[in-house]
Amino acid sequence: MDYRNIWNEIPKPKVERTPSRFGRALGKYTVRVLDSCTDCLKCVAICPQNVFEAKGNRLAPPLDQLCLGPECAKKPNRCVRNCPVDAIRVGANPSSRALGDFRWTPDLLMSVWHMAETGKLPANDLEYRIGASDGGFDKLRLRFPKNPPIPDLDKSKIDTSIPLNKKGDGRFDIVIPIPVYGGGMSFGSISQITMLSRIRAFAAWGSFTCTGEGGYPEALYPFDNHIITQVATGLFGVREETIQRVKIVEFKYAQGAKPGLGGHLLGPKVTEAVARIRETVPGSSLFSPFPFHSVYSVEDHKKHIDWIKAINPNALVSVKVSTPSDVDMVAVGSYYAGAHIVHLDGSYGGTGAAPDVAKKNIAMPIEYAIPKVHNFLVNEGVRDSITLIASGGIRTAFDIVKAIALGADGVVTGTAELVALECVRCHNCESGRGCARGIATTDLELVGLMELGWGTQRIINMLSCWRDQLREILYRLGLRSIRELVGKTEVLAHLDYSQSIPDDDIRSSLV
Amino acid sequence: MPKKYHIDVQPVANRFPVIGRSGIIDWGEGCLKCAKCVKTECVYGVYKNRSFSTSIMSDTIDEFCKSCFRCVQGCPKRLIHKTINPEWEALGDKLYRPEIISITWEQAATGKIPVSGAGYGGKFSGSGFDSMWTDMSEIVRPTRDGIHGREYISTVVDLGRRLSKLEFDSNGNLLSHVPPSVRIPLPIVFDVFPFGDLSLNVWSAVTSAASKLGTLVFMPYEVAINFPEQSTSIVPLLSAEKAAIYDLGGFKIIELVDGYESGESIAVAKKRYPDVLVSVRMEAKSSPESIRRMLEYNSLKADIIHYVADEGGYEPGVDQGLHIKDVIKEINVGLLKEGLRDQVTVIVSGGIAMAEHVTKAMLCGANLVGVDIPLLIALECRVCRNCRDGLSCPVSISGINPNWGTQRIINLIGAWHNQLLEMMGAMGIREARRLRGERGRVMFMEDLENDTFAQLFSDRIS
C-alpha cells in the first residue's frame, strides 16, 4: 500500500465528487421514500439527476440535494408517477427557511454546497448568483450582449490570471491563475485542518492563503510558497523567520467586520495549542490592540513597510485596510509607502467574533469602496502600478465579476471556503467550544469531524466551478482575459437605475 | 482622578420563556431507534437538557438550540426539522423587528454587548438609521483597546443653556450670569412611554434605574409626585397652567408641552425657580413653522428643546414624513445658521430602538437622546400594543417586581453604553459631546450612492 502523506502534498486541481460529511446533505427539496418501497430500482434508471442510487440490490437513501423539485417530479416520465407502489414524495425542504441569513441565503448556501460536492453549478432552481440583502452586489446584474461578441473564442484559453506585482521593482513577479486568494483566518479561530484545507486547495490552483493573525503553525511549512504571513496588531507569531519564509507579507491594519477593533478570540477558544503558538495563557480572552501602536502617521506606515522589505528582500507587501470614508487617501498613502497590494476589506466581511454593532454599522460596504479607490488611483495616475484587492462579503463567482468590474484587480474570500466546508452560518463561531460543525474551532473532539483530504477537495471543487463560471462570463462578454474586465462598469446594471434587465443566468453549459 | 463611570450589570432571568427565532420539529413516526441516536451527540446537549416548563406550558429546547443542523442532517430517516417560529415572526412592528426585540431581551437579561461569529447577516441598508454607517479613522485615532481599554472615553453630556462668552469686570470678577446646567454621565435619558401596561411598579423600576445610572426619567407630573426622594432624577411633564402654580421644588428640570402659552410660561417658571432648567417638548417636524417656533423658544431662553418623533421614528402626523435623522439634521443646521447652536440643548426621542441609534442621532445633531419602548422591551414587552386596545398584557408588565425591572433596565443601558464606547472608539472620538453634529464621521447611504452608483448608472438608457 502506498502511503501518501497529504499533509505535505499539494494536490492537483481536479474535481472529485465529495459528498457531505454529515449524514444526508441539505437540499432545497426533500425526497422521501416511504416504507412501502419494494426496491424495484425503477427510479434509479429514471431520475435525470441520479438522486436515486442502488446499494447492492436495495435502494439507498435518496440524494435529495440533487433533486430538481416537484416541477420535474410531477412529470409523467419521472419518479413520482412511475413508482409502482407510489412510494416517492417530493416537496420543499421545510428546514431550509431556518438556514442562513440575508447575505447567505439558504439557496446560496446550498449552491456552494453543491459546487463543493460536484464542482458544478446546481441544475435545479437554486439561486446561485445573489443573496437577499437588497443592496450592493445583490442589486447589481451582469449585462451580457445578446450574442457572444467573439463566438469562436476558446473558453479553455480565456485567461483568468492576475499579476500581484505591478510595481516592476524586481521583487517576486507573482501571477496567480485565478483572481482569488484566501483571506486571513487565524489558527485559533479555525482549526489546523480547516487552515490546511484552504491552503492546499488554493495552492492546488496556484494561488495563496493568508495565515491570519494567530501565528504560523509548523504544519504550514510544506506550503510556504503559497502562504501569506499576516502581520497584525497582536503580532502573534511575527518573527523574522516567518516573514522570510514566504513570498507575500500582509499588514493587517484593520478588518472590515470590526474596524477600529483588533482581533477577538474569546477565552474558551484559547485552547492549549492556541495559547502555545500565541505565547499566551489558555482560557484567557485575546483582544488585539488597535491600531498598530507603532503606526500613527503615513510616514510610520512607510517605515513599517520598509521594515518588512528589509527583512525579506523579495517578498511582496500587501496592506489590508477597512473602508472608512477616507479609504481612497489610505490607499494612495499605501501606494506611496511602497505597498504592492492594497487590500480593501469591506464592512460586511466575515469574522470569527465581533460586536454586532460594529459588523453592521462601522465603515462602508465594499461595493462603494472599490470604485471610490479605483477612480482615485486612476486620477492620481498610479492605478497601473498597484494591485487592488477587494474582500468583505464576496460569496460567488458573480460577486467576483462585479467586484472586478467595479475596479478591483482581484478578490479575497473567506466565508465562501467555510461554506464549502459545510458552514451553515449559525453565527456561533465565537462562543464556547466554537463551531459545532468542526470548522471554526480548535476543540479536539470537534476538529475530528473533518478530514483534511475531504476539506481540501471540497474547496478545490468550488474554486474549479468558480473558474468555469468566470470563463463562461468572460466568454459571453467577449473578453479574452479577466484583466480586461477591471473597471469595466459597462458590463454591470443596477436594479435601482434600470427598468428591465435580462436574466444573467449562465447555467446552460455549466451543470 | 475622577472615578471611571461604570454600569453594574448582573444576569437577570426572564419571567417568561423567550420567544425564539427557530424551533425544532421532531417527528416520532418512522423512527428507527438507532443504537446511537443523533440526539445523543448534540454538542450543546439540548436534548439532554431540555425540559418542559409547566408554568409556561412550553418546551425549553428551542431556547438552547443553536441551529447547527447536525441532528437534522444526521437522522437517517430525516425526522428532525428546523422551522422559523411564526410567533417570533409576528413580533413587533416595522421598526421593532423581531431581531431587534430578541437582541434587546438578551441585553436586558445579560447586560452584555451582543457579539457573534461570522459576518453581518442582515440587509445591505434600510430606512431610517439603517441607511447610515459610522466612520472609522484608519490612522488618526487615540490609543484604544476597545471596551477593554485603559484609555478613557467620556460619555458625559451637559443639559442647559450655554453662554457664548463670559464677561468679567476690571477686577477679574465674573459678571455674566451662568445659567444652571445638569450633567449626566451618558447621553441617554428615559422618555415617557407611548403605550404600556404601566403601574407604579413599572415607574418605580424605571425611576430607580435612572437614579442608579445617574440619568433622568421623563414622566407626567401626576406620576412624578409618587417619588419624592428621587425627584432630582425626574423630569415632570406639565402644561403651561400647571407650571405656573404647582410645587416644583426638588426637580432640577421640568418639561412643558409645546402649545399656545408655553412661550410665556418659560419665563414664569424660571422666575419661580431660577435654578430649574425648562425643557419644551415639541413634535419632531422639519417644517419651516417648526423651525421658527424652535428659534422662538430659544430666544425665550428655553434650556432644552425636546423633539419627539412618532413611535416609528418619523415626523408625527405627516404623510410620508421624514425620518428623525433628517429632522435632526434640519434642526441642527437651522440653529447653526443663526449662530445659536451652542445656546440650547437638543434632545431627540421616538424611533431610538438600538444602541447604534444613540450614536447616529447625535452625529446628526442631537445633544442626547431619549429612549422609551426599548425600556419596556427590557421588561419583556413584545410590542404587541394589546395594552393600547384595552386588552391584557401577555407578560403582565404592571405586576413586575420593581427591583427586577430596575436591574433589567440597567443591564440594557449598560450594554448600550458599551456599544456607544465601541462606536466612539472606532471613530476616534473621546468625548460624547463631540459627537453632536459630527457629520464628517458618518456616511449616509444617499451620499455614497450619489458618489458611486449614481455616477455609473444614472445616465444609462435601460
Side-chain angles (χ1 to χ4, degrees), chain B residues 116-234:
Chain B
S116 60
Y120 183 60
K123 298 253 181 164
F124 184 80
S125 74
S127 55
F129 289 121
D130 285 347
S131 64
M132 288 170 66
W133 291 286
T134 58
D135 206 358
M136 193 282 283
S137 178
E138 186 70 65
I139 295 173
V140 181
R141 289 185 69 262
T143 55
R144 190 142 201 281
D145 305 313
I147 58 176
H148 316 276
R150 299 154 299 247
E151 187 73 15
Y152 192 64
I153 291 185
S154 165
T155 52
V156 152
V157 289
D158 297 307
L159 290 86
R161 293 189 69 74
R162 310 179 73 145
L163 300 174
S164 46
K165 57 179 165 45
L166 294 172
E167 280 182 53
F168 297 84
D169 67 16
S170 47
N171 294 326
N173 298 316
L174 183 64
L175 287 175
S176 309
H177 166 67
V178 178
S181 77
V182 171
R183 175 169 289 184
I184 55 177
L186 79 174
I188 302 172
V189 295
F190 299 162
D191 201 20
V192 186
F193 300 122
F195 55 81
D197 178 32
L198 304 175
S199 65
L200 276 183
N201 282 6
V202 177
W203 287 117
S204 170
V206 177
T207 306
S208 292
S211 169
K212 286 191 170 157
L213 290 166
T215 185
L216 303 162
V217 51
F218 289 59
M219 61 177 71
Y221 180 85
E222 295 72 28
V223 179
I225 50 179
N226 288 292
F227 305 103
E229 298 93 52
Q230 288 153 316
S231 56
T232 49
S233 303
I234 297 176

Side-chain angles (χ1 to χ4, degrees), chain B residues 243-298:
Chain B
I245 50 178
Y246 277 17
D247 175 17
L248 303 174
F251 298 115
K252 294 205 281 192
I253 311 179
I254 62 165
E255 183 160 275
L256 308 170
V257 182
D258 173 30
Y260 187 53
E261 293 147 353
S262 27
E264 297 153 18
S265 39
I266 298 174
V268 170
K270 280 183 170 292
K271 195 142 177 258
R272 294 179 69 210
Y273 296 95
D275 290 332
V276 165
L277 276 67
V278 177
S279 167
V280 177
R281 191 181 183 88
M282 290 180 69
E283 286 191 320
K285 291 190 174 151
S286 64
S287 62
E289 167 63 20
S290 270
I291 309 263
R292 194 196 59 75
R293 282 185 78 73
M294 176 263 292
L295 291 170
E296 197 188 311
Y297 281 127
N298 179 50

Side-chain angles (χ1 to χ4, degrees), chain A residues 183-207:
Chain A
M185 287 199 262
S186 67
F187 172 62
S189 70
I190 58 176
S191 69
Q192 245 181 55
I193 293 189
T194 306
M195 274 186 107
L196 285 169
S197 297
R198 296 175 72 222
I199 289 169
R200 295 177 71 235
F202 275 106
W205 281 98
S207 185

